[in-house]
């Protein structure tokens, strides 16, 4: 008796939630799913540079989404048969290409998620377009995914170079200092970041007094000649903006501290940083550094509860990429639930223009014009060591950047 | 002017790492005729060992500076006895395969336990300030590295030049067949010399931990340049590898400081120098042509 009351309550809740989520046909047993199942594919870096900030824990996040989806809909779920396929693309575009084809063609994957590394991400976008299957990019930063390489089946979820530059570049120029020295790794990502940042800094009334492209990869691991140059420029920069990532970022920050640039009046702003980077550098090395974050685990109660569950599963706190993978999986499942089918064109229609609020997407909207998923972003600052109350609680949020401001307007280059 | 001095200083600090690694490679190659592709992995183990000692046992930098070279030197001697010495009579291709495979194993062992993310390692507090040289100031830690390395090279230089052990090692390094012909048992020196070379790599790793990213791939990135350094100095030449190490460090630092508009130059300058040296002196700056067999 008690059980049937529970089921009734759950179904009532499900109907209500689905109703709020935009409606659409409800389907129980008579679904139109190919093979009566949904398969999600997580394609990312599972052993290299991005395996910590995303990697296998993103697979866990997607599994958490599936479990929550099943719990939410119970018997009303479009199917109970939902599984995850995963593959390691080793950050290589050609491997990403063949793994994506294999996922869509042979593993029956309905939607591919994650795919860090811009060059690999763009390849998968091509495959998705050709196979007419869904693809939610989370890990890659290039704005080309919603620019000249956009297509009907590709959605760009968590962040991009515009969001990073607009947040950090604009707000730091307004609040910390007008004069910047930019240090970037001299390859596609770094050059793109340098351009985006320079544009944002100039637009905010600041100026770039110097910029240098450091060798990439920098085999010597030494950035001292750039760091020595920074305080001698005229006018003296108030901000060193580093676009390095991963181990290169670690080298820059260690040496920034060695040369005591903060004491010499040169603050530090980081183009792209994940919480895992702060963890490996320690907050002491980064105290005072500003950067743009797409999501922070200890931002509010909702995030914290999910982060606690995530920590139970993985032993660590989630990065924004983990939360975004969870959210993308959930939104895809919700869209299939609402549409009652996994037919890609129908699901795309159900997603386009949808306004969403969930764990990751705050004031979120899945833009129909270019499939950019917009949401609130955050300007974050690393706390001084003394203010770090518990492990992984490393930053305070200085400012919420509203969704409409955080991302660029749809690009004219995007022709669906 | 002060900028130039600072960049010069930095070049020497960068060169100190090259010199330590190249010195180890040179004595190993000299004694064993083995090109040790696993040298970078031992450098990484030195840095990682320092991190593990600090994070898991609270062992400070100074103790790690002694413990890690000793431990790795010992490991090197075990490896030499177990596998490396079987290579000396074989085609050099086998030594490439073995030492390269060893690198992959060591890297993956560390990766599987600690992941790919860099591990934190702070500068020891006694060395975290900076030294004022009048015209410019410079991080104390870098001054320490430079002083320490120069001192160490001087000690090695003295041991090799003035002691009986050094005499045997030098003779066996430069003319192994002739040394044997004088009735000296070169074989019994091989294992400790290999261990010594590995200990130097481990030492360089511990020194690098406070100023560079500590992760499983840190050695793989660096070792390519170190091989170029050894070739420039002359394979097997002890003095050559140290001199070339500091020289290349200087050239790289000046290149980065004054040719930063041409990043390709600072990145490739090492290999340009290597090509030029090899055209002019095929055995390297201080190397000698091997006598025909």
């Amino acid at each position: 008796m008690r059980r049937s009351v529970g089921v009734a309550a759950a179904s009532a809740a499900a109907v209500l939630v689905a109703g709020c989520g935009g409606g659409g046909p409800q389907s129980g047993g008579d679904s139109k799913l190919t093979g009566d199942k949904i398969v999600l594919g997580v394609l990312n870096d599972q052993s290299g540079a991005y395996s910590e900030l995303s990697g296998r824990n993103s697979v866990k996040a997607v599994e958490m989404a599936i479990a929550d989806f099943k719990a939410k809909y119970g018997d009303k779920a479009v199917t109970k048969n939902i599984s995850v396929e995963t593959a390691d693309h080793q950050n290589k575009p050609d491997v990403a290409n063949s793994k994506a084809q294999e996922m869509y063609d042979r593993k029956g994957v309905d939607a591919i998620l994650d795919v860090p590394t811009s060059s690999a991400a763009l390849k998968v976008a091509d495959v998705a377009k050709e196979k007419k299957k869904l693809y939610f990019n989370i890990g890659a930063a290039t704005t080309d995914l919603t620019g000249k390489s956009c297509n009907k089946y590709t959605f760009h979820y968590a962040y991009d170079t515009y969001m990073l530059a607009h947040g950090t570049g604009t707000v730091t120029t307004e609040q910390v200092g007008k004069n910047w020295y930019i240090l970037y790794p001299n390859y596609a990502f770094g050059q793109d970041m340098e351009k985006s940042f320079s544009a944002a800094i100039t637009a905010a009334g600041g100026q770039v007094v110097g910029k240098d492209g450091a060798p990439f990869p920098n085999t010597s691991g030494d950035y001292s000649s750039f760091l020595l140059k920074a305080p001698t420029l005229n006018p003296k920069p108030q901000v060193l903006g580093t676009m390095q990532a991963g181990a290169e970022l670690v080298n820059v920050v260690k040496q920034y501290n060695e040369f005591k640039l903060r004491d010499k009046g040169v603050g530090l702003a980081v183009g792209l940083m994940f919480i895992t980077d702060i963890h490996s550098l320690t907050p002491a090395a980064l105290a005072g550094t500003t950067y743009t974050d797409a999501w922070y685990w200890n931002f509010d109660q909702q995030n914290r509860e999910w982060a606690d569950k995530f920590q139970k599963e993985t032993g660590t706190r989630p990065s924004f990429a983990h939360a975004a993978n969870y959210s993308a999986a959930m939104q895809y499942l919700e869209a299939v639930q609402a549409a009652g089918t996994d037919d890609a064109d129908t699901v795309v229609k159900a997603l386009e223009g949808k306004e969403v609020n969930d764990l990751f997407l705050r004031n979120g909207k899945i833009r129909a014009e270019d499939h950019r998923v917009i949401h609130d972003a955050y300007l974050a600052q690393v706390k001084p060591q003394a203010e770090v109350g518990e492990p992984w609680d490393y930053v305070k949020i200085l400012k919420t950047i509203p969704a409409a401001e955080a991302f660029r307007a749809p690009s004219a280059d995007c022709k669906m | 002017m002060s900028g130039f001095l600072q960049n010069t200083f930095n070049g020497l600090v960068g060169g100190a790492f090259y010199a330590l690694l190249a010195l180890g490679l040179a004595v190993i190659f000299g004694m064993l005729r083995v090109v040790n592709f696993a040298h970078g992995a031992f450098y990484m183990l030195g840095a990682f060992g320092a991190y593990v000692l600090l994070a898991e046992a609270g062992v400070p930098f100074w103790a790690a500076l002694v413990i890690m070279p000793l431990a790795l030197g010992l490991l090197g001697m075990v490896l030499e006895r177990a596998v490396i010495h079987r290579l000396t009579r074989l085609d050099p291709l086998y030594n490439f395969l073995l030492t390269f495979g060893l690198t992959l194993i060591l890297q993956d062992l560390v990766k599987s336990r600690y992941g790919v993310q860099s591990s934190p390692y702070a500068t020891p507090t006694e060395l975290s300030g900076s030294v004022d040289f009048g015209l410019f100031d410079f991080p104390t830690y870098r001054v320490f590295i430079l002083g320490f390395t120069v001192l160490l090279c001087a000690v090695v230089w003295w041991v090799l030049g003035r002691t009986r052990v050094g005499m045997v090692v030098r003779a066996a390094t430069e003319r192994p067949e002739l040394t044997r012909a004088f009735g000296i048992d070169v074989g019994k020196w091989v294992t400790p010399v290999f261990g010594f070379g590995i200990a130097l790599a481990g030492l360089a790793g511990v020194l690098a931990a406070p100023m560079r990213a500590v992760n499983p791939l840190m050695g793989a990135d660096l070792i390519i340049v170190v091989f170029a350094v050894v070739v420039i100095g002359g394979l097997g030449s002890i003095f050559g590898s140290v001199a070339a190490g500091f020289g290349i460090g200087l050239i790289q630092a000046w290149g980065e400081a004054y040719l930063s508009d041409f990043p390709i130059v600072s990145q490739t300058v090492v290999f340009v120098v290597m090509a030029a040296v090899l055209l002019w002196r095929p055995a390297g700056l201080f190397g000698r042509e091997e006598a025909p067999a």
Side-chain angles (χ1 to χ4, degrees):
Chain A
M1 178 62 199
R2 176 173 279 185
R3 192 174 163 183
S4 63
V5 172
V7 170
S11 356
V15 171
L16 274 174
V17 171
C20 299
Q26 281 292 305
S27 59
D30 58 345
S31 75
K32 285 178 268 171
L33 297 182
T34 35
D36 193 32
K37 62 174 182 178
I38 301 173
V39 184
L40 297 173
V42 180
L43 179 58
N44 62 14
D45 172 9
Q46 309 206 335
S47 55
Y50 307 128
S51 59
E52 221 93 0
L53 60 93
S54 177
R56 290 186 185 280
N57 284 348
S58 285
V59 181
K60 277 270 186 278
V62 169
E63 285 168 353
M64 285 169 70
I66 294 170
D68 287 355
F69 175 81
K70 284 181 181 167
K72 180 175 167 187
Y73 287 101
D75 289 340
K76 293 279 177 194
V78 66
T79 178
K80 282 187 178 146
N81 193 0
I82 309 171
S83 60
V84 184
E85 286 289 334
T86 101
D88 184 355
H89 71 17
Q90 301 163 35
N91 300 321
K92 292 177 185 152
D94 51 331
V95 178
N97 186 345
S98 61
K99 292 281 180 193
Q101 303 217 19
E102 190 186 334
M103 278 186 161
Y104 287 139
D105 289 345
R106 287 202 277 134
K107 310 260 182 181
V109 165
D110 295 292
I112 290 181
L113 304 162
D114 207 5
V115 200
T117 310
S118 294
S119 48
L122 290 167
K123 287 275 185 210
V124 177
D126 289 343
V127 178
K129 182 181 176 185
E130 184 196 321
K131 308 275 178 200
K132 299 192 182 346
K133 296 271 189 178
L134 271 82
Y135 165 39
F136 295 85
N137 181 277
I138 285 132
T142 178
T143 48
D144 281 352
L145 282 170
T146 52
K148 64 174 193 260
S149 300
C150 78
N151 68 63
K152 184 179 173 185
Y153 302 95
T154 297
F155 294 84
H156 198 186
Y157 222 79
Y159 75 121
D160 59 33
T161 55
Y162 178 90
M163 180 203 99
L164 299 170
H166 183 72
T168 312
T170 307
V171 181
T172 310
T173 304
E174 285 164 358
Q175 298 184 356
V176 182
K178 300 229 173 293
N179 296 330
W180 284 64
Y181 171 61
I182 295 182
L183 182 59
Y184 61 97
N186 210 345
Y187 75 109
F189 164 77
Q191 291 155 356
D192 194 20
M193 288 285 278
E194 184 271 310
K195 283 202 188 77
S196 301
F197 265 78
S198 295
I201 292 160
T202 319
Q207 61 168 331
V208 179
V209 297
K211 57 181 183 191
D212 278 308
F216 177 85
N218 189 352
T219 45
S220 71
D222 201 45
Y223 289 91
S224 45
S225 56
F226 304 112
L227 298 170
L228 282 168
K229 182 178 167 185
T232 66
L233 293 168
N234 188 24
K236 189 171 109 173
Q238 292 136 321
V239 182
L240 164 70
T242 167
M243 305 300 141
Q244 270 75 13
E248 311 243 326
L249 174 66
V250 173
N251 278 326
V252 170
V253 174
K254 276 191 173 185
Q255 292 159 26
Y256 168 88
N257 283 321
E258 241 194 297
F259 285 97
K260 306 223 176 302
L261 288 195
R262 197 179 293 282
D263 298 346
K264 291 176 184 161
V266 184
L268 184 66
V270 176
L272 170 59
M273 187 154 71
F274 291 86
I275 187 137
T276 40
D277 294 319
I278 307 177
H279 185 68
S280 63
L281 273 161
T282 73
L286 283 159
T289 304
T290 49
Y291 71 103
T292 305
D293 205 349
W295 181 87
Y296 183 57
W297 72 270
N298 203 16
F299 176 68
D300 62 13
Q301 194 52 32
Q302 185 187 3
N303 290 7
R304 198 179 168 92
E305 277 169 15
W306 188 77
D308 287 344
K309 270 177 32 190
F310 183 87
Q311 191 169 26
K312 261 195 209 118
E313 293 275 333
T314 64
T316 181
R317 292 296 189 186
S319 73
F320 78 67
H322 297 134
N325 271 293
Y326 172 90
S327 166
M330 193 55 120
Q331 290 309 328
Y332 174 75
L333 293 174
E334 292 278 10
V336 174
Q337 178 77 20
T341 170
D342 62 353
D343 173 65
D345 292 286
T346 316
V347 177
V348 168
K349 260 206 197 82
L351 286 166
E352 279 181 338
K354 194 176 172 190
E355 294 187 4
V356 198
N357 267 295
D358 70 5
L359 168 79
F360 179 81
L361 300 171
R362 302 298 164 87
N363 302 311
K365 185 179 178 192
I366 304 170
R367 222 156 52 185
E369 299 92 318
D370 61 349
H371 288 186
R372 174 69 252 176
V373 181
I374 63 166
H375 55 89
D376 289 354
Y378 308 93
L379 189 77
Q381 186 173 42
V382 182
K383 293 177 183 175
Q385 185 80 52
E387 286 176 30
V388 176
E390 61 176 309
W392 294 92
D393 191 14
Y394 298 144
V395 306
K396 55 187 167 206
I397 302 299
L398 297 181
K399 187 186 162 181
T400 298
I401 305 161
E405 232 180 78
F407 293 91
R408 68 173 185 180
S411 157
D413 294 341
C414 171
K415 293 178 182 69
M416 285 283 175
Chain B
M1 184 59 193
S2 67
F4 174 76
L5 289 175
Q6 277 181 314
N7 285 315
T8 304
F9 220 139
N10 269 320
L12 292 173
V13 172
F17 287 99
Y18 296 149
L20 281 177
L21 289 165
L23 178 59
L25 275 181
V27 290
I28 288 173
F29 178 79
M31 273 300 228
L32 288 81
R33 289 292 181 269
V34 164
V35 179
N36 181 26
F37 284 91
H39 217 63
F42 287 102
Y43 163 80
M44 178 272 289
L45 285 181
F48 236 97
Y51 158 72
V52 173
L53 284 175
L54 184 71
E56 287 172 18
V59 175
F61 174 76
W62 300 105
L65 202 55
V66 178
I67 296 172
M68 282 322 294
L70 286 179
L72 288 175
L74 215 61
L75 174 65
M77 285 171 35
V78 172
L79 282 173
E80 199 281 328
R81 277 291 88 193
V83 284
I84 307 275
H85 81 110
R86 293 170 207 273
L87 296 174
T88 42
R89 285 172 207 287
L90 297 175
D91 187 298
L93 192 60
Y94 289 92
N95 110 44
F96 168 75
L97 288 175
L98 182 89
T99 54
F100 188 68
L102 207 54
T103 302
L104 296 181
I105 291 169
L106 292 172
Q107 276 176 4
D108 274 9
L109 281 177
V110 175
K111 213 194 255 182
S112 65
R113 175 73 178 78
Y114 295 98
V116 292
Q117 201 73 30
S118 302
S119 302
Y121 200 88
T123 313
T125 41
E126 311 86 276
L127 297 176
S128 61
S130 56
V131 179
D132 193 351
F133 285 97
L135 274 174
F136 63 99
D137 60 342
F138 206 70
T140 314
Y141 188 70
R142 290 187 179 230
V143 177
F144 162 75
I145 286 187
L146 196 53
F148 186 82
T149 311
V150 169
L151 189 73
L152 192 77
C153 288
V155 170
V156 173
W157 184 245
W158 180 83
V159 170
L160 288 174
R162 300 268 175 239
T163 65
R164 192 178 154 72
V165 178
M167 193 187 71
V168 174
V169 172
R170 260 187 312 143
T173 302
E174 304 201 350
R175 292 287 163 94
E177 295 307 322
L178 196 62
T179 315
R180 266 189 208 101
F182 277 107
I184 292 169
D185 184 2
V186 175
K188 78 171 181 187
W189 292 100
V190 162
T191 307
V193 165
F194 189 81
F196 172 72
I198 298 301
L200 282 181
L203 183 78
V206 179
L207 289 174
M211 58 185 275
R212 290 188 182 161
V214 179
N215 64 47
L217 294 176
M218 63 187 290
D221 294 342
L222 192 67
I223 202 67
I224 305 160
V225 181
V226 177
F227 274 118
V229 166
V230 176
V231 171
I232 291 168
L235 264 178
S237 164
I238 289 160
F239 176 77
S241 51
V242 173
F246 282 106
I248 288 301
L250 275 179
I251 291 173
Q252 262 193 339
W254 287 333
E256 271 168 20
Y258 304 109
L259 296 170
S260 62
D261 293 340
F262 314 96
I264 191 79
V265 176
S266 57
Q267 196 68 345
T268 50
V269 66
V270 180
F271 302 100
V272 173
V273 171
M274 180 174 84
V277 166
L278 289 183
L279 283 174
W280 173 47
R281 287 182 67 101
L285 285 178
F286 300 92
R288 64 169 83 217
E289 305 269 359
E290 297 269 325

